[in-house]
Amino acid sequence: MRSTPHKAFVTIASAIAALTAALLPGSTASAAEQAACTPSQLITNGGFESGTSPWTQSSTSVITSRSGQSAHGGTSFAWLDGTGATHTDTLSQSVTIPSGCSATLTFWMHIDTAETTSSTAYDKLTAKIGSTTLATYSNLDKNTGFVQKSFDVSAFAGQTVTVAFTGTEDSSLQTSFVLDDLALDTSAATTPGDTTRTPASPSYTVSLTSNSSGTGWTGHESVSFTNASATALSEVYLRLWDNYHGTCSAPPITVSNVTGGTAGALSVACTALEVALPTPLAQGQSTTIGFDLGITVPSGADRFGYDGAFSMIGNALPVLAVRDGSGWHLDPYTNNGESFYSLAADFKVTLDHPTSLLVPATGTSVDSPGTSGRTVTTATASKVRDFAWAAGPFSKISGTSPGGVPINIYSVSGISSSSAQSMLTTAKSAVDAHAGRFGAYPYGELDAVIDNNFWFGGMEYPGFVLDLVSTTALTHEIGHQWWYGIVGDDEYNSPWLDEAFTDYATDLAQGLSGTNCWNSVSWASSAEKITNSMAYWDAHSSRYSTVVYGYGKCALHDLRRLIGDTAMTNLLKSYASSHWYGVSTTAEFKAAAQAATSTDLTSFWTTHRIEG
């Protein structure tokens, strides 16, 4: 959903395509072992706040709190190299990953350098698990601040392995590699039973009160849900996605006083919270959990952050993770794209805020007077996958598309009235164009927040988008109302199902046919595929937009040319209809496409590297 080629914070110089090749004989877990996997965090002293144990370091200066660098959280960190002379530093810790567990290694990294080259990697840091190299970074990857890196290391389940970092520096010009807040989170790899997605039919009720600036919110959230699976539900997981933007010691999203269940430990870099249910929930049974909620919006023009007086609050409400035949989907947060995978739900969200702040939000909003100088905005939304809002002294203009969709454009300071009007015109055209192709827009009003400081281009939520002043980007984000919003998907494991489809829809809305666009395709490796997951793209971030957005939409243009315009039009409209408020998979789309034509599409999928 980041709608433009990404401004990647760090380019990974070298990374393995798949860790599964490292799976050793004897490490495959039985169903009983898989069922017994208890989510846990395996790295000890990952924030280096408890001295040096159990880390092994090449010198006493690696784990430090000395001046010259700073920690991501707390006061201590690991500082490799930075001498400006020929030098090697190492840091390692041995861990045992239980059999049957999925496992994710994460760490925060900052790189600064005195090297001035833009092409030569003089100084390098290698991250390894066991004998497998996860990634190699260099002076070319210098960055401002810390960036989190994430790797799927599930292939090492059942093994004791060493997580190791080696920094090498040449004879001149320092490069410092700073690491902090390392974690190796495990979760259950599979759940015995059927493949039904659960917990189903979530209904969220939220009441929050803001501070004077809209950067802090406190209140209560509850969620009711039903177990749709034949396998009993003993626990659920809440995704606290925006904890990515802080630290585990000072998380932006806090959950406390849980009712209807017992809160466990935070996992997956503190973005997942297990809630054990009092008794297992059988198929068809429903229950409710509730909790107090605190939200602290960090500084930054991001999908979760404040830019001056304007706060963007995306992915801040805890939402239920999905369990299916593959187990709980507890993927890590990705900043290159999206990790968000949730089932269609109902939301009623009450936001008490200063009257001076406008609060665009998912759903249909109604304002009522609050206490002195305050307004209560109540937003309701049905069959949406998430809820997002913003708060600030926006300039607002409104209109209605020819098809009858109410549209509101909210602009931050510095956006001209003519630019806002242009975005309103674009939104009216885009929403009707997409509705005509894929089905009527079902979410009532559509709010767009415009800020040219967004580093990521654009971002979509149901009935609510963030964007730059850009006709193409806004048309793309509105297209996501269908491809992600209405027709859902597992964004972490199948990002092409919303990004490629939305870029294709954007081309159609703008009258572009993608003629000859497949002619420019050049694969970087045999491992590169349109259908790769975000785990792959986080390790090859410079290729993500090119392949998933560009090659993905070109593949759909090629499919249209192969089966014919009418067949393609009917295919996408019927596919959207049959997956309305549901979840799309690559296998289901391939089957639907094959059913739409008498041409054998086997070679088409192979040529376009669409697997699944």
Side-chain angles (χ1 to χ4, degrees), residues 170-469:
D170 72 353
S171 58
S172 64
L173 299 178
Q174 74 86 23
T175 300
S176 296
F177 300 98
V178 183
L179 304 174
D180 202 358
D181 292 330
L182 289 83
L184 204 165
D185 292 293
T186 64
S187 60
T190 64
T191 298
D194 63 42
T195 60
T196 302
R197 298 180 182 97
T198 200
S201 305
S203 181
Y204 297 86
T205 303
V206 185
S207 179
L208 296 172
T209 300
S210 82
N211 60 7
S212 60
S213 63
T215 58
W217 300 77
T218 56
H220 191 266
E221 175 177 339
S222 65
V223 54
S224 301
F225 54 88
T226 301
N227 180 19
S229 169
T231 303
L233 201 58
S234 299
E235 74 287 326
V236 295
Y237 284 87
L238 294 169
R239 296 314 308 258
L240 283 55
W241 288 115
D242 282 337
N243 280 348
Y244 167 87
H245 297 279
T247 66
C248 290
S249 58
I253 310 300
T254 58
V255 167
S256 58
N257 299 324
V258 174
T259 59
T262 303
L266 288 165
S267 61
V268 197
C270 296
T271 66
L273 175 66
E274 180 184 13
V275 178
L277 300 179
T279 57
L281 201 65
Q283 186 174 30
Q285 290 185 330
S286 301
T287 193
T288 300
I289 61 172
F291 46 88
D292 292 336
L293 175 64
I295 299 170
T296 303
V297 183
S299 175
D302 210 332
R303 53 191 176 190
F304 178 60
Y306 66 84
D307 181 17
F310 303 92
S311 294
M312 314 303 161
I313 311 171
N315 305 110
L317 293 186
V319 294
L320 292 169
V322 178
R323 192 192 77 181
D324 57 21
S326 298
W328 286 104
H329 287 259
L330 300 178
D331 299 302
Y333 185 103
T334 175
N335 207 37
N336 290 320
E338 285 75 41
S339 305
F340 318 128
Y341 174 31
S342 54
L343 303 183
D346 295 338
F347 284 82
K348 181 178 180 180
V349 180
T350 302
L351 303 169
D352 183 325
H353 57 90
T355 302
S356 59
L357 304 181
L358 298 184
V359 181
T362 291
T364 301
S365 296
V366 176
D367 288 343
S368 59
T371 57
S372 178
R374 298 184 69 88
T375 296
V376 176
T377 298
T378 301
T380 55
S382 297
K383 303 298 183 183
V384 296
R385 300 181 191 278
D386 201 353
F387 184 98
W389 73 101
F394 296 101
S395 297
K396 176 187 177 183
I397 60 173
S398 302
T400 303
S401 76
V405 178
I407 297 171
N408 303 303
I409 303 295
Y410 293 83
S411 301
V412 304
S413 304
I415 302 297
S416 68
S417 58
S418 61
S419 291
Q421 192 62 52
S422 173
M423 291 299 91
L424 179 59
T425 300
T426 293
K428 289 177 181 179
S429 174
V431 73
D432 284 355
H434 297 317
R437 289 186 174 89
F438 311 123
Y441 178 75
Y443 295 142
E445 66 189 36
L446 172 63
D447 293 343
V449 176
I450 308 300
D451 184 343
N452 277 335
N453 290 335
F454 290 142
W455 68 266
F456 48 85
M459 179 66 198
E460 77 292 343
Y461 297 97
F464 176 92
V465 301
L466 308 174
D467 220 306
L468 309 170
V469 176

Side-chain angles (χ1 to χ4, degrees), residues 1-3 385 407 426-443 446-448 458-467 470-489 491 496-510 549 556 572 576 580:
M1 318 214 184
R2 309 252 169 163
S3 62
R385 300 181 191 278
I407 297 171
T426 293
K428 289 177 181 179
S429 174
V431 73
D432 284 355
H434 297 317
R437 289 186 174 89
F438 311 123
Y441 178 75
Y443 295 142
L446 172 63
D447 293 343
M459 179 66 198
E460 77 292 343
Y461 297 97
F464 176 92
V465 301
L466 308 174
D467 220 306
S470 168
T471 298
T472 298
L474 186 57
T475 302
H476 174 100
E477 301 309 332
I478 293 174
H480 273 306
Q481 299 303 310
W482 284 263
W483 304 107
Y484 144 76
I486 298 166
V487 180
D489 64 287
E491 295 183 299
W496 90 286
L497 285 171
D498 53 272
E499 295 300 356
F501 282 60
T502 297
D503 244 19
Y504 175 76
T506 301
D507 273 4
L508 296 183
Q510 296 186 318
Y549 291 66
L556 292 174
L572 290 182
W580 205 260

Side-chain angles (χ1 to χ4, degrees), residues 77 92 102 107 141 143 156 162 197 282 310 343 390 404 407 487 506 551 580 597:
F77 48 91
S92 64
S102 294
F107 56 87
D141 300 313
N143 61 298
F156 298 93
T162 298
R197 298 180 182 97
F310 303 92
L343 303 183
I407 297 171
V487 180
T506 301
Y551 295 1
W580 205 260
T597 180

